[in-house]
Amino acid sequence: MPHPPHQSLQVAAVQTLQARPAAVPKARVPAREDDGPWHAEAVCRRDEAGLFFAPSKEPTAARLSREEAAKRVCARCPVMVACREHALLQPEPYGVWGGLTAAERRVVLARRRRRAAELRQAAPGAGPIAAAG
């Protein structure tokens, strides 16, 4: 079914994804470190990359729908936690990574910074050298 010219390809992709029945992930053996980088096991490698990154000037309703579809993909991913930590450590400024949007990752990072500051204040004089000993 053709989509109106004003409708973004991302909205069409989300609608197509929502129309499909949910795929059942195959059973797998847990990955070992020597099997390669975590992203080789990522479920999103088999999905449309456009689902995880916003096109320019995407309408809010389309963005929310696309992000929810991306999060559903993340929810069934065996490396979701590694992906999320990668995005938090980089930090990745765009897209859905590890089931979190860029805005959600900013909140997590702010909480981590506050918690680290609280721990530093709770233990004055216990810098990294004192903590290591």
Side-chain angles (χ1 to χ4, degrees):
M1 172 175 97
H3 297 282
H6 66 278
Q7 189 175 28
S8 75
L9 294 176
Q10 299 305 324
V11 173
V14 169
Q15 290 171 344
T16 302
L17 182 67
Q18 290 172 339
R20 283 191 255 159
V24 177
K26 62 181 180 178
R28 43 177 250 99
V29 177
R32 298 182 319 235
E33 276 200 38
D34 58 350
D35 284 342
W38 62 266
H39 49 80
E41 299 294 322
V43 173
C44 62
R45 291 178 62 95
R46 297 185 294 269
D47 288 304
E48 298 174 35
L51 190 60
F52 297 89
F53 295 94
S56 63
K57 300 180 183 178
E58 181 179 35
T60 301
R63 177 183 54 81
L64 294 173
S65 179
R66 179 188 50 74
E67 288 174 347
E68 285 305 313
K71 288 178 179 186
R72 285 193 299 275
V73 172
C74 292
R76 67 178 198 264
C77 185
V79 295
M80 181 181 79
V81 174
C83 177
R84 179 178 295 173
E85 284 306 311
H86 161 82
L88 290 166
L89 292 173
Q90 282 304 312
E92 292 288 351
Y94 307 106
V96 175
W97 290 78
L100 297 178
T101 64
E104 291 165 337
R105 289 192 304 276
R106 286 190 295 273
V107 169
V108 170
L109 288 171
R111 286 181 184 155
R112 285 184 180 182
R113 283 190 298 271
R114 276 195 304 273
R115 180 70 178 140
E118 289 169 0
L119 290 174
R120 281 192 303 275
Q121 288 176 355
I129 295 173

